[in-house]
Amino acid sequence: MSDLLNQIESRFRTALAAAVGPAHADTDPMVRPSQDPKFGDYQANLAMALGKRLGEKPRDLAERIAAVVERDGLFADVAVAGPGFINLTLEAGALREAAAAMLASDRLGLPTAEPADHVVLDYASPNLAKEMHIGHLRSSIIGDALGRTLETLGHRVTRQNHIGDWGTQFGMLLEHLIETGWDSGAGAEISDLNLLYQEAKRRDDADPDFAERARRRVVALQAGDDASRAIWRRLIDESVRHMNHVFARLNLRLTDDDLAPESFYNGRLAATCADLEAAGVARVSDGALCVFDDENDSSEESPLIVRKSDGGYGYATTDLAAVRYRVAELGADRAVYVVDSRQRDHFTKFFAAARRAGWAGDGIRLDYVAFGTILGADHRPFKTREGGTVKLSDVLDEAVARADAAIAAKNPDLPADERTAVAGVVGIGAVKYADLSNDRIKDYVFDYDRMLALEGNTAPYLLYSYARIRSIFRRGQIDFAGFASAEVAVAEPVERALVLQLLQFPGVIVSVGETLEPHRLCNYLYELATRYHRFFETCPVLKAEDLAVRDGRLALCRLVALALERGLGLLGIGVVERM
């Protein structure tokens, strides 16, 4: 919460105590930025709900509260409107002071979480032994944005890249390699593994006997079979090399220290099952150990299977072992899972089982961050023209190539090496932002033209806004980092609107940390850039009428640039000084 919002709420609590009594002084004043400037800068909507509780007409209550709100130095006007809204117009000096404080703060007014949580964040988590594809994009970049945001708010974040290195796909691939006499794994590249996996998958789909042998190979791998483990290790090494290369291109904060593979939990799975059974949380049904809904303990229900009838384990077992480890050994206060929405049923059952077992008590917050599917132009899951899987590296290559061509056309004088660097930031930033700017639970259509457009809610538009500000300082031969004017301009309506948008920055970041919805930040940044362009088109900066006005507008420009840079950084997107 910004200092300005704190001041507003403090004055309303004092007014509440005077108007309706000290017992109601802690009532939430429900102060929100106004959606329309004709209703002032902020609105306090507390009278609507409080009036009903007190048996009063909300408008009458609002007028009593407004009459005793202290205005000096903060409010230019306090007016009651409609059925009981209290519209607040701030003094120009109060806005100037709040903007100056934000500009002077290394954190741009961001609060530090109290108390801070230890958040264990499970994201990315690709299955190995094949190339990463477009389906791996969302978990990776949503999780990265959330990790950056939570850390910035002061939480301790432990990243867990829970890679699939242990499941059914390895049974198929290992069995295929062993049966075909393949023994060149030490030098194989990810493209080789991709083809070999496709061969194994075709065999598994077409040959029930092979599928059964592949299933037994998984059990052998999990039991420590030497031949299986030797080839498996080579496959993992190449897969991780490829994965790290893609992660680096996406600018993710993930390293090998964050690897939390399924295989790590192998030695814990038997004890996990035994403890669930001993506690009465799981029971044997048709040879499998299952966790049923405790309110509907019926064989007709689809249970959470924690040990299969053949003695093998599935990802439900691993997830339970993992949450137990993360809470008991890592000391997590909050566990966040960034996984696609098709797994909702699994997470409902898994969370319920973890709580029943006592491995995630009432004080532990479990968050399932579900997300939708990336669609092609036909509004079906995104595929190649041939109907195959779209490789993530190919998507990034195409985006960068298109960005490079667009930059070359618009700014042919930009040196080639700088253009290459800018194209990398713009192209990959465009892919990431197009995803993050959508409500994560919804599907969206992948469209290069839309995501690379210089207009609309896109990364190029925001990056251009930042570059435009930096160009003002270059043209004026003013050191951006050293410019220290604290007198931020607020005299003109467009200046005032821009400052009001800037002051919402801390609250938006707090809301992203709470809701785990990065699109809130994207929407904010787009509105900030839009208001900046209105200001730029209306108010001369370098050619302002006098030096004080010029400096006030330069300070405002600098604050916008800092907010854009910080906000994009929380999304894992860099900035460029020229486009």
Side-chain angles (χ1 to χ4, degrees):
M1 184 183 297
S2 69
D3 288 342
L4 179 63
L5 198 53
N6 272 324
Q7 289 181 55
I8 296 173
E9 293 194 349
S10 176
R11 294 207 181 182
F12 266 85
R13 289 195 171 97
T14 301
L16 272 168
V20 296
H24 298 284
D26 291 333
T27 300
D28 182 0
M30 299 179 67
V31 176
R32 306 287 185 269
S34 294
Q35 298 301 306
D36 189 326
K38 71 182 181 182
F39 298 126
D41 301 323
Y42 288 85
Q43 281 187 332
N45 299 331
L46 72 164
M48 308 299 290
L50 185 58
K52 291 180 181 179
R53 291 205 304 270
L54 297 178
E56 291 189 46
K57 290 182 179 179
R59 184 178 177 93
D60 292 344
L61 178 59
E63 289 176 344
R64 283 169 49 207
I65 296 169
V68 295
V69 170
E70 182 187 353
R71 303 186 183 201
D72 289 350
L74 185 59
F75 299 122
D77 187 41
V78 178
V80 176
F85 302 113
I86 304 176
N87 296 335
L88 309 170
T89 302
L90 300 175
E91 293 275 10
L95 280 177
R96 237 189 323 268
E97 185 178 328
M102 184 177 180
L103 188 57
S105 165
D106 291 339
R107 295 176 54 81
L108 298 184
L110 282 174
T112 300
E114 293 181 4
D117 290 331
H118 179 194
V119 183
V120 174
L121 179 61
D122 185 323
Y123 69 105
S125 310
N127 289 328
L128 302 189
K130 51 186 175 179
E131 286 185 79
M132 293 182 68
H133 55 76
I134 191 68
H136 295 126
L137 178 67
R138 302 210 71 185
S139 176
S140 300
I141 63 174
I142 293 171
D144 184 65
L146 296 180
R148 291 169 182 264
T149 300
L150 291 166
E151 281 181 328
T152 297
L153 289 171
H155 299 292
R156 175 187 167 201
V157 176
T158 297
R159 293 166 172 80
Q160 297 280 273
N161 183 11
H162 192 71
I163 54 175
D165 68 340
W166 206 238
T168 302
Q169 79 273 18
F170 278 95
M172 293 188 306
L173 184 55
L174 289 173
E175 189 64 24
H176 177 65
L177 297 181
I178 291 170
E179 290 185 4
T180 56
W182 181 87
D183 194 28
S184 58
E189 296 185 354
I190 194 67
S191 56
D192 302 321
L193 298 185
N194 222 47
L195 292 172
L196 290 165
Y197 177 84
Q198 291 169 9
E199 292 173 5
K201 184 68 169 68
R202 283 194 292 270
R203 288 186 69 188
D204 191 76
D205 290 341
D207 183 352
D209 290 337
F210 175 81
E212 174 60 22
R213 294 195 300 276
R215 183 192 61 76
R216 292 199 299 266
R217 181 63 60 182
V218 175
V219 177
L221 175 65
Q222 294 176 345
D225 176 70
D226 289 340
S228 302
R229 287 288 182 95
I231 300 177
W232 171 80
R233 185 68 262 169
R234 295 204 298 269
L235 302 180
I236 295 303
D237 289 344
E238 172 56 19
S239 297
V240 169
R241 183 203 65 77
H242 164 71
M243 178 184 68
N244 285 342
H245 175 69
V246 175
F247 284 172
R249 294 191 70 188
L250 287 169
N251 190 29
L252 303 190
R253 288 183 178 174
L254 278 174
T255 70
D256 286 352
D257 291 339
D258 303 313
L259 287 174
E262 291 177 350
S263 58
F264 172 78
Y265 299 101
N266 188 53
R268 301 167 183 261
L269 302 184
T272 297
C273 290
D275 291 348
L276 288 170
E277 191 170 13
V281 175
R283 64 179 176 83
V284 175
S285 176
D286 294 330
L289 185 64
C290 306
V291 179
F292 290 90
D293 183 341
D294 60 343
E295 295 179 358
N296 182 26
D297 197 359
S298 166
S299 59
E300 296 178 0
E301 179 205 347
S302 175
L304 186 73
I305 300 174
V306 294
R307 188 179 63 230
K308 301 174 186 178
S309 57
D310 63 4
Y313 304 108
Y315 58 82
T317 330
T318 306
D319 280 344
L320 284 164
V323 75
R324 190 180 193 182
Y325 166 77
R326 292 167 183 179
V327 173
E329 299 185 45
L330 294 182
D333 303 303
R334 184 178 181 186
V336 178
Y337 296 80
V338 187
V339 182
D340 76 80
S341 57
R342 293 170 295 179
Q343 300 299 318
R344 185 173 300 279
D345 183 62
H346 165 74
F347 275 90
T348 298
K349 294 174 179 176
F350 154 49
F351 284 174
R355 295 216 184 272
R356 286 177 60 195
W359 299 339
D362 292 340
I364 306 299
R365 178 170 168 177
L366 301 177
D367 288 311
Y368 170 41
V369 180
F371 55 83
T373 301
I374 301 176
L375 306 176
D378 58 359
H379 290 263
R380 296 182 178 180
F382 192 26
K383 301 283 187 181
T384 64
R385 290 182 179 178
E386 296 76 26
T389 301
V390 179
K391 298 176 183 177
L392 186 48
S393 290
D394 289 348
V395 168
L396 301 182
D397 289 344
E398 178 72 12
V400 171
R402 289 182 181 227
D404 186 79
I407 294 165
K410 290 185 177 295
N411 192 356
D413 297 330
L414 198 65
D417 57 344
E418 185 177 354
R419 190 185 77 219
T420 298
V422 171
V425 173
V426 174
I428 293 176
V431 172
K432 296 177 72 172
Y433 188 88
D435 189 299
L436 295 168
S437 60
N438 283 277
D439 185 342
R440 59 172 166 76
I441 198 61
K442 296 179 180 178
D443 301 342
Y444 74 92
V445 174
F446 191 93
D447 184 336
Y448 285 113
D449 291 338
R450 183 183 301 167
M451 65 180 58
L452 286 162
L454 267 173
E455 297 179 351
N457 190 9
T458 67
Y461 178 69
L462 298 183
L463 293 170
Y464 172 69
S465 303
Y466 179 85
R468 193 178 214 182
I469 294 171
R470 296 304 299 260
S471 72
I472 292 173
F473 282 80
R474 283 197 304 274
R475 290 201 313 272
Q477 297 183 326
I478 301 164
D479 178 26
F480 179 83
F483 185 78
S485 174
E487 286 293 321
V488 178
V490 298
E492 298 295 330
V494 288
E495 295 169 345
R496 185 184 188 92
L498 188 51
V499 168
L500 286 166
Q501 181 71 12
L502 282 162
L503 294 177
Q504 293 179 40
F505 183 72
V508 169
I509 305 306
V510 170
S511 75
V512 173
E514 180 60 29
T515 65
L516 306 178
E517 294 176 338
H519 75 278
R520 293 171 179 255
L521 175 55
C522 297
N523 291 342
Y524 168 83
L525 294 174
Y526 174 57
E527 180 63 24
L528 177 64
T530 300
R531 292 192 186 194
Y532 172 75
H533 285 286
R534 290 176 190 150
F535 155 78
F536 181 83
E537 291 161 4
T538 304
C539 299
V541 179
L542 296 177
K543 295 182 179 180
E545 55 268 29
D546 62 45
L547 185 61
V549 173
R550 186 204 75 155
D551 284 356
R553 290 175 180 170
L554 281 170
L556 182 53
C557 288
R558 184 168 184 269
L559 188 52
V560 172
L562 293 173
L564 286 171
E565 182 177 20
R566 179 67 62 89
L568 287 167
L570 293 177
L571 300 172
I573 300 172
V575 292
V576 294
E577 294 194 15
R578 295 195 290 182
M579 286 177 65

